[in-house]
Amino acid sequence: HYKCCGRDRLMGNERCKARWIKASKIEEVIWRSVVGVLRNPRFLYDKVNENREALNLAVADLTQEIDRIKATLGDLDKQRERALQAFLEEDMASLRGSLRAKLVYIETRSEGLNRELTRLEQRQAGYAAEGGRQYAARQYCRVVLRGIDRLDLAGRQRLLALLIDEILVDGRHLE
């Protein structure tokens, strides 16, 4: 049986009014849903493609932002070189204070952009890994389908535990 945590005596005075639900009843509905999804490659293919398209857009946006930051860092490097050159020239001695301030600004801006660049590149790597996980999930579904009809109750429960994080019961509806 499954029960609402609100029925737990340790949860306080208020008790949930939800009835207990036989595990076999929920598991059979969930099992049929999972098998239906696994046996419908078009459904999985469409979902993976939706995710891939969203992922590709996110990667394109990240790539564009990464390129913009790299270009800005290149410009800052050129500004730094010019400021250092001017700082070292004797006839610019009167401007050394403002050149120092400019160098500090360039350095601070470069550090911030480099941190942002690192963060974006890590996100980009995460998106690349997500693409690999999607491919692995498709392959896993193909393998699971080969032996799905031979699974006993324990095998079904192990598979469901691998595929499903939680089941939400709302009255008579499962999510």
Side-chain angles (χ1 to χ4, degrees):
H1 283 89
Y2 289 100
K3 66 176 183 166
C4 173
C5 331
R7 286 184 168 256
D8 190 335
R9 288 179 175 36
L10 299 175
M11 296 300 290
N13 294 332
E14 293 287 324
R15 299 227 192 268
C16 178
K17 305 285 190 260
R19 298 179 324 186
W20 285 50
I21 301 171
K22 286 186 104 178
S24 59
K25 197 175 199 178
I26 287 181
E27 288 171 355
E28 188 56 37
V29 170
I30 299 299
W31 180 252
R32 282 195 312 265
S33 297
V34 167
V35 170
V37 167
L38 290 172
R39 286 194 171 141
N40 182 356
R42 175 47 76 195
F43 176 80
L44 288 174
Y45 182 76
D46 289 346
K47 289 298 177 188
V48 167
N49 277 343
E50 285 174 24
N51 287 337
R52 187 181 308 130
E53 288 171 12
L55 201 57
N56 287 344
L57 288 174
V59 168
D61 289 346
L62 274 177
T63 301
Q64 194 173 29
E65 183 65 11
I66 287 170
D67 290 345
R68 186 193 65 75
I69 289 174
K70 286 180 177 179
T72 303
L73 284 169
D75 291 344
L76 288 171
D77 282 342
K78 290 175 188 170
Q79 289 177 27
R80 180 185 300 114
E81 285 299 317
R82 286 193 301 269
L84 283 171
Q85 189 64 33
F87 188 81
L88 296 174
E89 292 177 8
E90 286 184 30
D91 58 336
M92 300 296 253
S94 62
L95 298 175
R96 284 199 173 134
S98 64
L99 289 172
R100 260 192 208 102
K102 179 146 182 100
L103 285 168
V104 167
Y105 166 78
I106 289 170
E107 199 57 40
T108 303
R109 180 97 202 277
S110 293
E111 287 172 4
L113 286 172
N114 276 313
R115 281 192 302 275
E116 180 68 6
L117 180 61
T118 299
R119 188 184 68 77
L120 292 175
E121 288 174 337
Q122 287 171 343
R123 272 182 58 194
Q124 191 176 43
Y127 286 154
E130 179 61 29
R133 284 190 294 274
Q134 288 179 2
Y135 175 78
R138 286 193 312 269
Q139 295 301 99
Y140 181 74
C141 288
R142 286 187 188 116
V143 170
V144 166
L145 273 174
R146 288 187 207 143
I148 204 163
D149 293 325
R150 295 187 301 272
L151 289 175
D152 61 4
L153 180 60
R156 284 180 172 194
Q157 289 173 336
R158 281 193 307 274
L159 181 60
L160 289 176
L162 287 171
L163 297 176
I164 298 175
D165 291 327
E166 69 179 352
I167 300 169
L168 299 176
V169 180
D170 182 19
R172 294 178 168 251
H173 303 285
L174 299 176
E175 291 181 41

